[in-house]
Amino acid sequence: MASCFGTRPLSGWEKALRPPVTRARAAKAEGKVRPVSAVCRSKRLCTLPLLQASRNLEVMERYLKYRWTDHVPSLKEPPEGPHAIAAMRLLCMAQANGRTVVDAFNLELPQEDKEVLSVEMSRTGCAGQSFSPTLVPKEILSKPAGPAFVIYYGPAFLQALGSDSAVLRLRILAEIYRCSRELWPESAAAVATSVHVRIDTVKGLKVAEILDVSKGELWLVTKHNESEAFVERASHRKLNKFVRNGQKFQILDLGFLRESHKQ
């Protein structure tokens, strides 16, 4: 999500936050600050206040809490703890599927995947800036590192839930983050940078369609340059070509999808 605040986007956020708020509601949410319209990188208008860049995270945190408390049916008070930012971001990303996705994140997602999402979705890509300590994993504050990942079409992937299992979609998202981190290991020197990971190829697919790749094909996260990667399908021939050319990639381990379909 990319921020519409200030003069540049917040790194590490999916680009497609589409807040269904009016000017009046946005002003109320942000303390009566006069809002201006800005074009999100998702090419949809969102009405948000124009504030100094140093306040971006503070305003974004307030906005996430506002979206949580404004949800119908009620989700009660905004969450706290190391998984809070990830949960609130997932609610915004999933839109109409928000409650289903958040419940899956909180109650059903394996702990390992929950930790991956919580850590990676709490990175900001901004040096010296973080969300409130009570809302993020301790390592985000004790060991600031980057790059942060911008998952292009991450929101679309969750919004296309349909009859699929929300847990399986979250596990796929966690595996994409995990492979991306293998390609870009944590580095304190990269704390103020971001990498775009495009998932165009899977954003509209059902889980069964993701699993049903042709015989011998695999899903990869492929590093195309120092700031961009793609999720793509690859045959053994294509894989061999990548190896021959020194192309960096990680194979998505989607064995859990096969196990879920056997049950």
Side-chain angles (χ1 to χ4, degrees):
M1 175 177 65
S3 168
C4 296
F5 305 135
T7 58
R8 70 180 185 87
L10 280 176
S11 300
W13 290 75
E14 284 75 21
K15 68 173 185 174
L17 175 63
R18 297 179 291 179
V21 294
T22 63
R23 285 179 179 268
R25 292 176 69 188
K28 179 180 179 181
E30 304 303 347
K32 303 298 183 180
V33 179
R34 183 182 179 185
V36 297
S37 292
V39 179
C40 289
R41 292 169 69 184
S42 61
K43 298 182 180 179
R44 295 178 68 92
L45 291 178
C46 60
T47 306
L48 295 167
L50 183 64
L51 300 174
Q52 294 181 353
S54 62
R55 293 190 58 199
N56 279 351
L57 287 176
E58 175 189 345
V59 174
M60 181 58 73
E61 186 175 309
R62 289 170 60 193
Y63 179 73
L64 289 173
K65 290 178 178 179
Y66 166 70
R67 288 292 302 277
W68 186 278
T69 56
D70 195 51
H71 189 273
V72 178
S74 174
L75 294 171
K76 300 182 179 180
E77 293 300 312
E80 291 197 355
H83 310 302
I85 287 296
M88 290 189 286
R89 286 187 59 188
L90 289 169
L91 181 76
C92 288
M93 290 167 61
Q95 298 287 311
N97 298 320
R99 180 63 180 266
T100 301
V101 169
V102 168
D103 284 348
F105 175 77
N106 286 330
L107 304 175
E108 302 177 64
L109 192 64
Q111 190 64 26
E112 181 182 4
D113 292 327
K114 190 173 184 178
E115 293 297 333
V116 169
L117 291 177
S118 295
V119 169
E120 298 298 352
M121 297 182 78
S122 294
R123 299 191 193 279
T124 65
C126 300
Q129 296 187 49
S130 179
F131 294 102
S132 296
T134 58
L135 304 179
V136 299
K138 291 182 179 179
E139 67 183 85
I140 294 296
L141 302 174
S142 63
K143 298 179 180 179
F149 296 119
V150 181
I151 307 297
Y152 266 57
Y153 298 113
F157 182 65
L158 295 179
Q159 290 165 27
L161 178 63
S163 60
D164 277 347
S165 162
V167 173
L168 292 182
R169 286 203 171 242
L170 288 174
R171 294 193 69 180
I172 293 170
L173 194 60
E175 180 63 10
I176 291 170
Y177 272 115
R178 192 178 288 114
C179 287
S180 300
R181 183 55 65 197
E182 288 294 323
L183 292 171
W184 280 273
E186 291 181 3
S187 168
V191 69
T193 64
S194 62
V195 167
H196 298 83
V197 182
R198 299 189 64 104
I199 65 169
D200 313 42
T201 51
V202 298
K203 67 175 182 178
L205 297 182
K206 296 181 181 298
V207 167
E209 293 172 324
I210 295 173
L211 179 60
D212 188 29
V213 294
S214 299
K215 187 176 181 180
E217 287 192 324
L218 299 166
W219 286 105
L220 311 177
V221 177
T222 307
K223 183 176 183 178
H224 283 249
N225 53 58
E226 290 305 313
S227 60
E228 192 173 40
F230 287 77
V231 171
E232 55 189 286
R233 290 170 63 162
S235 63
H236 286 174
R237 177 178 295 181
K238 185 175 182 179
L239 208 60
N240 288 335
K241 182 179 179 181
F242 280 172
V243 172
R244 185 170 62 251
N245 294 339
Q247 180 87 45
K248 292 185 177 181
F249 63 87
Q250 286 285 306
I251 298 172
L252 286 172
D253 183 359
L254 302 178
F256 59 87
L257 293 182
R258 288 185 287 273
E259 291 300 320
S260 68
H261 278 68
K262 289 179 182 179
Q263 297 175 0

